[in-house]
PDB file of all heavy atoms in Angstrom:
ATOM      1  N   GLY D  73      -0.067  -4.412 -12.110  1.00  0.00           N
ATOM      2  CA  GLY D  73       1.199  -4.337 -11.371  1.00  0.00           C
ATOM      3  C   GLY D  73       0.891  -4.602  -9.906  1.00  0.00           C
ATOM      4  O   GLY D  73      -0.278  -4.755  -9.525  1.00  0.00           O
ATOM      5  N   CYS D  74       1.927  -4.651  -9.072  1.00  0.00           N
ATOM      6  CA  CYS D  74       1.693  -4.844  -7.637  1.00  0.00           C
ATOM      7  C   CYS D  74       0.836  -3.687  -7.118  1.00  0.00           C
ATOM      8  O   CYS D  74      -0.188  -3.898  -6.446  1.00  0.00           O
ATOM      9  CB  CYS D  74       3.017  -4.872  -6.883  1.00  0.00           C
ATOM     10  SG  CYS D  74       4.131  -6.186  -7.378  1.00  0.00           S
ATOM     11  N   SER D  75       1.243  -2.461  -7.446  1.00  0.00           N
ATOM     12  CA  SER D  75       0.533  -1.277  -6.958  1.00  0.00           C
ATOM     13  C   SER D  75      -0.879  -1.201  -7.529  1.00  0.00           C
ATOM     14  O   SER D  75      -1.759  -0.572  -6.942  1.00  0.00           O
ATOM     15  CB  SER D  75       1.316  -0.032  -7.347  1.00  0.00           C
ATOM     16  OG  SER D  75       1.796  -0.159  -8.669  1.00  0.00           O
ATOM     17  N   HIS D  91      -2.722  -3.033 -18.328  1.00  0.00           N
ATOM     18  CA  HIS D  91      -1.439  -2.379 -18.099  1.00  0.00           C
ATOM     19  C   HIS D  91      -1.359  -1.052 -18.862  1.00  0.00           C
ATOM     20  O   HIS D  91      -1.515  -1.013 -20.078  1.00  0.00           O
ATOM     21  CB  HIS D  91      -0.332  -3.326 -18.548  1.00  0.00           C
ATOM     22  CG  HIS D  91       1.021  -2.979 -18.042  1.00  0.00           C
ATOM     23  ND1 HIS D  91       1.248  -2.370 -16.834  1.00  0.00           N
ATOM     24  CD2 HIS D  91       2.253  -3.174 -18.582  1.00  0.00           C
ATOM     25  CE1 HIS D  91       2.543  -2.207 -16.663  1.00  0.00           C
ATOM     26  NE2 HIS D  91       3.175  -2.679 -17.701  1.00  0.00           N
ATOM     27  N   ASP D 116       5.374   2.652 -11.716  1.00  0.00           N
ATOM     28  CA  ASP D 116       6.204   3.466 -12.614  1.00  0.00           C
ATOM     29  C   ASP D 116       6.223   2.882 -14.022  1.00  0.00           C
ATOM     30  O   ASP D 116       6.245   3.627 -15.006  1.00  0.00           O
ATOM     31  CB  ASP D 116       7.632   3.625 -12.064  1.00  0.00           C
ATOM     32  CG  ASP D 116       8.207   2.341 -11.477  1.00  0.00           C
ATOM     33  OD1 ASP D 116       7.695   1.887 -10.454  1.00  0.00           O
ATOM     34  OD2 ASP D 116       9.167   1.806 -12.059  1.00  0.00           O
ATOM     35  N   GLY D 117       6.166   1.548 -14.133  1.00  0.00           N
ATOM     36  CA  GLY D 117       6.098   0.954 -15.473  1.00  0.00           C
ATOM     37  C   GLY D 117       4.766   1.299 -16.118  1.00  0.00           C
ATOM     38  O   GLY D 117       4.714   1.761 -17.266  1.00  0.00           O
ATOM     39  N   ASP D 118       3.714   1.086 -15.368  1.00  0.00           N
ATOM     40  CA  ASP D 118       2.353   1.376 -15.819  1.00  0.00           C
ATOM     41  C   ASP D 118       2.234   2.801 -16.353  1.00  0.00           C
ATOM     42  O   ASP D 118       1.668   3.044 -17.418  1.00  0.00           O
ATOM     43  CB  ASP D 118       1.462   1.259 -14.569  1.00  0.00           C
ATOM     44  CG  ASP D 118       0.161   0.559 -14.828  1.00  0.00           C
ATOM     45  OD1 ASP D 118       0.065  -0.199 -15.799  1.00  0.00           O
ATOM     46  OD2 ASP D 118      -0.761   0.783 -14.032  1.00  0.00           O
ATOM     47  N   ASN D 144       8.557   2.416  -7.470  1.00  0.00           N
ATOM     48  CA  ASN D 144       9.582   1.596  -6.803  1.00  0.00           C
ATOM     49  C   ASN D 144      10.801   1.397  -7.715  1.00  0.00           C
ATOM     50  O   ASN D 144      11.652   0.557  -7.446  1.00  0.00           O
ATOM     51  CB  ASN D 144       9.003   0.241  -6.364  1.00  0.00           C
ATOM     52  CG  ASN D 144       8.344  -0.496  -7.514  1.00  0.00           C
ATOM     53  OD1 ASN D 144       8.511  -0.108  -8.676  1.00  0.00           O
ATOM     54  ND2 ASN D 144       7.623  -1.553  -7.226  1.00  0.00           N
ATOM     55  N   ILE D 146      11.134  -0.029 -10.528  1.00  0.00           N
ATOM     56  CA  ILE D 146      11.330  -1.362 -11.150  1.00  0.00           C
ATOM     57  C   ILE D 146       9.959  -1.924 -11.542  1.00  0.00           C
ATOM     58  O   ILE D 146       8.938  -1.462 -11.033  1.00  0.00           O
ATOM     59  CB  ILE D 146      12.057  -2.323 -10.158  1.00  0.00           C
ATOM     60  CG1 ILE D 146      12.769  -3.479 -10.866  1.00  0.00           C
ATOM     61  CG2 ILE D 146      11.120  -2.860  -9.073  1.00  0.00           C
ATOM     62  CD1 ILE D 146      14.080  -3.113 -11.481  1.00  0.00           C
ATOM     63  N   TYR D 147       9.953  -2.895 -12.445  1.00  0.00           N
ATOM     64  CA  TYR D 147       8.726  -3.673 -12.671  1.00  0.00           C
ATOM     65  C   TYR D 147       8.674  -4.726 -11.567  1.00  0.00           C
ATOM     66  O   TYR D 147       9.469  -5.670 -11.577  1.00  0.00           O
ATOM     67  CB  TYR D 147       8.770  -4.392 -14.014  1.00  0.00           C
ATOM     68  CG  TYR D 147       8.586  -3.536 -15.251  1.00  0.00           C
ATOM     69  CD1 TYR D 147       8.497  -2.149 -15.195  1.00  0.00           C
ATOM     70  CD2 TYR D 147       8.485  -4.146 -16.503  1.00  0.00           C
ATOM     71  CE1 TYR D 147       8.329  -1.395 -16.346  1.00  0.00           C
ATOM     72  CE2 TYR D 147       8.318  -3.389 -17.656  1.00  0.00           C
ATOM     73  CZ  TYR D 147       8.249  -2.012 -17.565  1.00  0.00           C
ATOM     74  OH  TYR D 147       8.083  -1.278 -18.707  1.00  0.00           O
ATOM     75  N   GLY D 148       7.765  -4.563 -10.625  1.00  0.00           N
ATOM     76  CA  GLY D 148       7.724  -5.465  -9.478  1.00  0.00           C
ATOM     77  C   GLY D 148       6.959  -6.749  -9.763  1.00  0.00           C
ATOM     78  O   GLY D 148       7.492  -7.844  -9.596  1.00  0.00           O
ATOM     79  N   LEU D 149       5.726  -6.618 -10.238  1.00  0.00           N
ATOM     80  CA  LEU D 149       4.859  -7.799 -10.387  1.00  0.00           C
ATOM     81  C   LEU D 149       5.495  -8.858 -11.284  1.00  0.00           C
ATOM     82  O   LEU D 149       5.425 -10.046 -11.003  1.00  0.00           O
ATOM     83  CB  LEU D 149       3.494  -7.389 -10.942  1.00  0.00           C
ATOM     84  CG  LEU D 149       2.465  -8.513 -10.973  1.00  0.00           C
ATOM     85  CD1 LEU D 149       1.921  -8.790  -9.578  1.00  0.00           C
ATOM     86  CD2 LEU D 149       1.308  -8.191 -11.904  1.00  0.00           C
ATOM     87  N   THR D 150       6.135  -8.395 -12.363  1.00  0.00           N
ATOM     88  CA  THR D 150       6.719  -9.344 -13.318  1.00  0.00           C
ATOM     89  C   THR D 150       8.152  -9.719 -12.934  1.00  0.00           C
ATOM     90  O   THR D 150       8.869 -10.337 -13.699  1.00  0.00           O
ATOM     91  CB  THR D 150       6.666  -8.767 -14.743  1.00  0.00           C
ATOM     92  OG1 THR D 150       7.037  -7.377 -14.686  1.00  0.00           O
ATOM     93  CG2 THR D 150       5.285  -8.886 -15.325  1.00  0.00           C
TER      94      THR D 150
HETATM   95  C1  TPP A  25       0.111  -5.113 -22.436  1.00  0.00           C
HETATM   96  C2  TPP A  25       0.901  -5.743 -21.323  1.00  0.00           C
HETATM   97  N1  TPP A  25       2.233  -5.750 -21.386  1.00  0.00           N
HETATM   98  C3  TPP A  25       2.959  -6.300 -20.395  1.00  0.00           C
HETATM   99  C4  TPP A  25       2.335  -6.869 -19.328  1.00  0.00           C
HETATM  100  C5  TPP A  25       3.155  -7.519 -18.236  1.00  0.00           C
HETATM  101  N2  TPP A  25       3.236  -6.697 -17.058  1.00  0.00           N
HETATM  102  C6  TPP A  25       2.345  -6.820 -16.050  1.00  0.00           C
HETATM  103  S1  TPP A  25       2.674  -5.803 -14.778  1.00  0.00           S
HETATM  104  C7  TPP A  25       4.044  -5.191 -15.575  1.00  0.00           C
HETATM  105  C8  TPP A  25       4.948  -4.151 -14.944  1.00  0.00           C
HETATM  106  C9  TPP A  25       4.625  -3.826 -13.532  1.00  0.00           C
HETATM  107  O1  TPP A  25       5.501  -2.822 -13.063  1.00  0.00           O
HETATM  108  P1  TPP A  25       4.980  -1.451 -12.530  1.00  0.00           P
HETATM  109  O2  TPP A  25       3.967  -0.870 -13.428  1.00  0.00           O
HETATM  110  O3  TPP A  25       6.164  -0.602 -12.263  1.00  0.00           O
HETATM  111  O4  TPP A  25       4.210  -1.824 -11.194  1.00  0.00           O
HETATM  112  P2  TPP A  25       4.709  -2.593  -9.872  1.00  0.00           P
HETATM  113  O5  TPP A  25       4.402  -4.042 -10.084  1.00  0.00           O
HETATM  114  O6  TPP A  25       6.180  -2.347  -9.711  1.00  0.00           O
HETATM  115  O7  TPP A  25       3.882  -1.986  -8.803  1.00  0.00           O
HETATM  116  C10 TPP A  25       4.222  -5.789 -16.812  1.00  0.00           C
HETATM  117  C11 TPP A  25       5.325  -5.477 -17.741  1.00  0.00           C
HETATM  118  C12 TPP A  25       0.926  -6.837 -19.291  1.00  0.00           C
HETATM  119  N3  TPP A  25       0.225  -7.346 -18.275  1.00  0.00           N
HETATM  120  N4  TPP A  25       0.233  -6.262 -20.305  1.00  0.00           N
END
Side-chain angles (χ1 to χ4, degrees):
C74 299
S75 42
H91 196 32
D116 42 293
D118 222 22
N144 54 12
I146 202 79
Y147 286 6
L149 187 76
T150 42

